[in-house]
Amino acid sequence: MALTYDHPGEQAAPDPIRLLDIRDTPLSVDEVFGAVGDDAAGGTALFVGTVRDHDGGQDVDALGYSCHPSAGDELRRVAEKVVADFPVRALAAVHRVGDLRVGDLAVVVAVSCPHRAEAFAACRKLIDDLKHEVPIWKHQRFSDGTQEWVGAC
């Protein structure tokens, strides 16, 4: 039996962007995963970015994220590009701002598509473009007392 892609479930959903937010409260994997549920999706890919205890050979004590006022609009633009490039059934992305500790969730993104390969590719594009194009900056504080700003875009 040959595969056909003419079933409506094989196509992108009419309005697949379900959740986009930049917030100063703790993030929830369950919230993001729940937002991308879709009966036509055969694959859901989820990425969770956490604050790690090191960077560039230095121990990280804590960090803070801040963003430009346009960050929400840029996040939407990135999401819309992913939706245009892949058969996305549902998409969600949430990034945290404010002071975070090691182990805290910094970003959670998820994409569901008809098939797993599409979901993996779309999710990777979403997180990569978010990190490169959305004006969110990280201020790291190291255990030796030094600090640095890292631009996400």
Side-chain angles (χ1 to χ4, degrees), residues 33-125:
F33 182 69
V36 297
D38 188 285
D39 288 345
T44 299
L46 178 90
F47 173 81
V48 179
T50 57
V51 177
R52 63 180 176 263
D53 67 357
H54 67 281
D55 189 38
Q58 293 182 290
D59 293 332
V60 172
D61 284 343
L63 59 78
Y65 283 98
S66 59
C67 67
H68 188 271
S70 67
D73 292 337
E74 289 302 308
L75 179 57
R76 176 158 294 279
R77 186 186 60 74
V78 164
E80 288 172 349
K81 187 174 180 211
V82 171
V83 165
D85 292 346
F86 297 92
V88 174
R89 298 299 304 173
L91 177 149
V94 183
H95 202 295
R96 178 110 182 255
V97 293
D99 292 327
L100 284 76
R101 296 187 176 278
V102 170
D104 284 348
L105 304 183
V107 61
V108 182
V109 302
V111 178
S112 61
C113 292
H115 304 279
R116 72 177 173 273
E118 300 158 341
F120 278 126
C123 189
R124 181 172 191 124
K125 177 90 171 138

Side-chain angles (χ1 to χ4, degrees), residues 13 15 19-21 24 26 31 41 62 80 89 104-105 119 121 124 129 150:
D15 187 21
L19 171 65
L20 295 177
D21 202 10
D24 62 1
E31 176 191 23
E80 288 172 349
R89 298 299 304 173
D104 284 348
L105 304 183
R124 181 172 191 124
D129 288 358
V150 180

